Amino acid sequence: MNTVLAFCMQYHDGWHIRVKALNEAAQRRGWRMQVVNQPAKGAIVAKLRRFWRPDGIVIVGTPQGRRPLPKEVFGDVPTVFIDCDPALLTPGCPNVLHDTRAICETAIRELLATGCQEIGYVGWYRRTFWCDEKRRFCRETLELHGKSLPEFIPSSREANDAALLNQRLCKWIRSLPKPCGVFAVNDTLAEAVIDAATACKVDIPSDLAVIGVNDDPSIVERTSPSLTSFPLNYPGIAEAALSVLEKRSGGGRERTVLVPAGKLIRRHSTRRFKRKDPEAEAAVEMIRRRACEGLRVAEVLKTFSRSVRLAEMRFKALTGHSILEEIAEVRFARLFELLADDRLPIGALADMCGFPSSLVLRRQFKAKTGLTLSGWRKAKATVNGKREERMS
């Protein structure tokens, strides 16, 4: 059994998520993942390397002290970094990163498609390479469209003073032409934008559309309105990192491996409608939240104060389709996400996506795609396999 050492360079909320993903990727290979809950200082790495005699080393994050670890620290053990500042990467070691450019381009495309006249960027409290990357890629994408990028960078003082942050954000939001969009560096700052917009009575999403990054469940469903966000692909990051070690390229040559983020999850903070209908908009949000729990049309209709016929008409006038079609759309969106994960048994998907039964799911899926569920999964795996071959 191969043993891999994993070091946490800096403690943060996402550390346990990364550890879980690394453990799962290791288990699929029959490897042992030994997690070290402290930064990988040179002397510590050398001692633990002699103790464990690992077959690989994973460094999560950027080294402390603002200088790269020397290659001699790792000896001849294949080593890979995850989410490391490229400027502080150990020479000769690969670095696995989320595809930040793709995230920014998708966010800008989404906001422009909603009719935003201008798009602003809200950064982090201090300089980080991932914050600088998002700012740069957003600016480059908007320059292609002949647009500038209004920026809001909170101060370190505002990190501990929510009232001050809210006050300055309000002033900045008011200065943006409406309708406008905001892409925040993560969900924490996106939530601050929504709070500030609410305080200064700027309507979301009619006047201000907001997108965050991380898809933090403690934030995205709690905000009002709920927050559109990118889920970061931690399983993909872990899989890519261990694949590098598996190919024994960890100690061979320096390279960057980009992993796509999860598909943008659209919620109410970017869903702009051509007309205003609070009850119909609330019904759309109810469907988005509960469609995969087996929500029925009758339950949605109960939320309207008028007749069933008028409720259906109002819903269709707002969205362009019926309540039943909206429920099906949400269910199928979730189904395609889960179907791409070949670890999930096909027989469990109907319950996970809110379909009445596996038989109903199979019939509707065949009518929609012309394929069986297993046929679609095999076709997707074949396409992904060819894409990986071309990349390698």
Side-chain angles (χ1 to χ4, degrees):
M1 175 182 290
N2 289 10
T3 296
V4 177
L5 292 182
F7 290 89
C8 171
M9 301 308 297
Q10 294 173 337
Y11 180 78
H12 44 71
D13 292 340
W15 169 235
H16 69 284
I17 301 175
R18 289 172 169 83
V19 168
K20 179 182 178 183
L22 284 168
N23 278 328
E24 291 174 351
Q27 287 172 8
R28 288 193 291 273
R29 291 168 167 78
W31 294 3
R32 170 191 172 84
M33 183 65 62
Q34 182 62 43
V35 177
V36 180
N37 290 307
Q38 63 175 317
K41 296 180 180 179
I44 293 175
V45 174
K47 290 180 180 178
L48 287 172
R49 180 163 54 84
R50 288 193 294 270
F51 182 87
W52 285 104
R53 300 180 184 275
D55 300 282
I57 295 174
V58 177
I59 308 293
V60 182
T62 297
Q64 295 180 353
R66 306 303 297 173
R67 58 185 179 185
L69 292 166
K71 185 69 176 70
E72 295 73 27
V73 166
F74 307 111
D76 59 355
V77 180
T79 302
V80 60
F81 283 71
I82 291 177
D83 291 332
C84 178
D85 183 342
L88 299 175
L89 183 67
T90 298
C93 293
N95 193 16
V96 181
L97 300 167
H98 285 99
D99 191 345
T100 303
R101 181 182 290 277
I103 290 174
C104 295
E105 290 179 348
T106 301
I108 298 299
R109 186 183 301 115
E110 183 79 7
L111 292 171
L112 289 175
T114 65
C116 293
Q117 296 181 22
E118 193 163 349
I119 296 171
Y121 171 77
V122 176
W124 191 237
Y125 300 100
R126 62 183 184 277
R127 290 287 300 274
T128 65
F129 84 92
W130 44 269
C131 183
D132 288 344
E133 278 192 341
K134 288 188 177 76
R135 176 199 286 178
R136 175 163 57 88
F137 292 143
C138 285
R139 184 186 298 116
E140 290 175 359
T141 303
L142 285 171
E143 284 175 351
L144 289 174
H145 296 81
K147 295 179 179 291
S148 60
L149 180 69
E151 298 176 9
F152 180 95
I153 308 299
S155 66
S156 56
R157 179 185 171 190
E158 288 167 337
N160 300 308
D161 191 335
L164 180 61
L165 174 63
N166 188 279
Q167 182 181 15
R168 202 160 71 87
L169 266 173
C170 277
K171 184 178 179 180
W172 181 73
I173 289 170
R174 287 196 189 101
S175 71
L176 298 174
K178 309 298 185 295
C180 61
V182 168
F183 178 50
V185 68
N186 58 25
D187 292 338
T188 300
L189 268 300
E191 181 182 26
V193 170
I194 291 176
D195 289 344
T198 301
C200 59
K201 296 182 170 51
V202 173
D203 185 76
I204 299 176
S206 297
D207 295 323
L208 180 71
V210 184
I211 294 179
V213 179
N214 284 354
D215 200 46
D216 185 337
S218 68
I219 295 177
V220 294
E221 296 290 356
R222 185 186 67 206
T223 61
S224 181
S226 56
L227 175 64
T228 294
S229 184
F230 285 94
L232 293 181
N233 187 4
Y234 294 116
I237 287 282
E239 187 64 31
L242 295 198
S243 292
V244 168
L245 294 181
E246 198 168 32
K247 295 173 183 177
R248 293 293 176 181
S249 59
R253 56 194 177 96
E254 183 177 344
R255 63 190 179 106
T256 299
V257 180
L258 295 180
V259 176
K263 185 178 179 181
L264 179 69
I265 297 179
R266 297 176 177 87
R267 297 186 178 86
H268 204 53
S269 68
T270 56
R271 190 155 191 183
R272 182 173 289 139
F273 299 103
K274 293 181 179 179
R275 62 178 67 202
K276 206 63 177 156
D277 188 332
E279 285 189 342
E281 290 177 31
V284 170
E285 182 71 354
M286 178 184 188
I287 291 170
R288 187 196 63 75
R289 291 176 183 265
R290 296 180 50 200
C292 294
E293 299 173 3
L295 181 69
R296 296 178 180 273
V297 172
E299 295 177 70
V300 179
L301 290 171
K302 289 178 182 178
T303 65
F304 287 86
S305 58
R306 303 293 180 88
S307 68
V308 169
R309 182 172 176 275
L310 186 56
E312 285 277 18
M313 290 173 60
R314 287 167 57 190
F315 190 91
K316 190 164 187 176
L318 184 75
T319 64
H321 48 252
S322 69
I323 293 174
L324 183 60
E325 289 169 336
E326 179 79 6
I327 292 174
E329 183 177 320
V330 173
R331 287 175 178 168
F332 271 106
R334 180 60 175 156
L335 173 65
F336 284 120
E337 290 178 20
L338 297 179
L339 194 56
D341 185 350
D342 58 11
R343 293 170 295 175
L344 294 175
I346 286 177
L349 296 179
D351 284 341
M352 296 174 74
C353 299
F355 289 91
S357 67
S358 294
L359 178 61
V360 171
L361 169 57
R362 290 197 298 270
R363 286 176 177 172
Q364 292 185 8
F365 190 84
K366 181 80 175 199
K368 186 177 182 68
T369 67
L371 297 171
T372 62
L373 292 161
S374 58
W376 187 93
R377 177 176 276 178
K378 289 177 182 177
K380 184 74 171 177
T382 300
V383 170
N384 288 340
K386 290 180 178 178
R387 185 182 296 118
E388 290 175 1
E389 287 177 9
R390 288 196 298 269
M391 291 177 65
S392 59

